[in-house]
Amino acid sequence: MSNKEILEQKIGEAIGLEKAAQAAVEELSAKGLLDKGGIKDKLQSMKKQAGSHQSNLEGFVQALSESEGLSSMNIQEAAQETEQKAAEIMKIYLGENPDSSEAIEFLCLAEGGEVTHYEVLNALTKGVKNKKFGAKVKAILAEEKRHLQLCTRLAKQAALIS
């Protein structure tokens, strides 16, 4: 795979993970699994930030297509595939009768995956001409690290409430 193809893949995966995170919070909320101890409000804020990250990344796709010769179609395909895989992983992880602790621990797992993807994407931006893109990825990475810390705190809190 060429550097260009790897960059397309990683941007698509990041977008797909952001979309999947929003869908996961929505689904887990609808099932009542995030209702304990104010957890839902904190995760709704995280969901909103995921939407912002998705929009920011999607906003760069056209510019990167022009400056780096990236394929927006390849990025979209990677995003859809990643979103579908994440939904399948959540379904398998949670099983038939999940509880609040399992739901939050899954979100921690998802946030850990996002941090890893953004670390890799951040490394790949070193070779990208569009420095605003690199700065945005670095800012999102910092926020994703905070999300992971928040999820971990919420998972501990949920375990104590159970």
Side-chain angles (χ1 to χ4, degrees), residues 120-144:
V120 172
L121 186 54
N122 187 49
L124 292 172
T125 64
K126 306 290 186 262
V128 173
K129 296 171 197 154
N130 187 327
K131 297 307 172 196
K132 288 181 181 179
F133 177 67
K136 180 52 71 179
V137 168
K138 192 172 191 168
I140 293 173
L141 173 58
E143 204 163 76
E144 291 299 342

Side-chain angles (χ1 to χ4, degrees), residues 2 12 16 23-24 30 49 66 76 78 82 99 104-105 108 113-114 123 127 135-136 142 152 157:
S2 72
Q49 290 171 343
E66 293 167 10
Q76 289 173 346
T82 301
D99 62 21
I104 305 225
E105 288 168 10
C108 289
E114 284 186 79
K136 180 52 71 179
T152 302
Q157 178 183 331

Side-chain angles (χ1 to χ4, degrees), residues 1-158:
M1 204 182 278
S2 72
N3 286 349
K4 185 177 97 169
E5 291 170 322
I6 293 169
L7 185 58
E8 291 168 346
Q9 183 73 27
K10 292 303 166 192
I11 293 169
E13 288 172 353
I15 292 170
L17 288 172
E18 296 296 0
K19 292 168 92 172
Q22 294 168 78
V25 170
E26 196 64 38
E27 184 176 333
L28 297 174
S29 290
K31 291 181 178 182
L33 294 171
L34 306 177
D35 292 342
K36 291 183 178 179
I39 289 172
K40 187 176 185 175
D41 292 337
K42 292 173 184 159
L43 291 175
Q44 288 298 331
S45 172
M46 215 168 72
K47 177 186 167 211
K48 185 178 176 185
Q49 290 171 343
S52 176
H53 296 165
Q54 175 192 342
S55 295
N56 280 316
L57 290 173
E58 289 172 341
F60 274 104
V61 170
Q62 183 62 39
L64 293 171
S65 294
E66 293 167 10
S67 70
E68 308 298 320
L70 300 184
S71 164
S72 59
M73 184 186 289
N74 289 349
I75 293 169
Q76 289 173 346
E77 287 174 6
Q80 289 172 339
E81 183 180 333
T82 301
E83 183 181 11
Q84 290 170 347
K85 285 179 181 178
E88 289 175 36
I89 290 167
M90 183 174 88
K91 190 175 184 178
I92 292 166
Y93 185 92
L94 294 177
E96 292 297 316
N97 295 309
D99 62 21
S100 291
S101 289
E102 290 170 322
I104 305 225
E105 288 168 10
F106 172 77
L107 292 175
C108 289
L109 176 77
E111 286 300 326
E114 284 186 79
V115 167
T116 302
H117 275 80
Y118 279 107
E119 288 282 6
V120 172
L121 186 54
N122 187 49
L124 292 172
T125 64
K126 306 290 186 262
V128 173
K129 296 171 197 154
N130 187 327
K131 297 307 172 196
K132 288 181 181 179
F133 177 67
K136 180 52 71 179
V137 168
K138 192 172 191 168
I140 293 173
L141 173 58
E143 204 163 76
E144 291 299 342
K145 287 179 178 180
R146 288 190 295 275
H147 288 176
L148 180 56
Q149 290 173 335
L150 171 63
C151 267
T152 302
R153 280 195 312 275
L154 294 176
K156 290 176 189 177
Q157 178 183 331

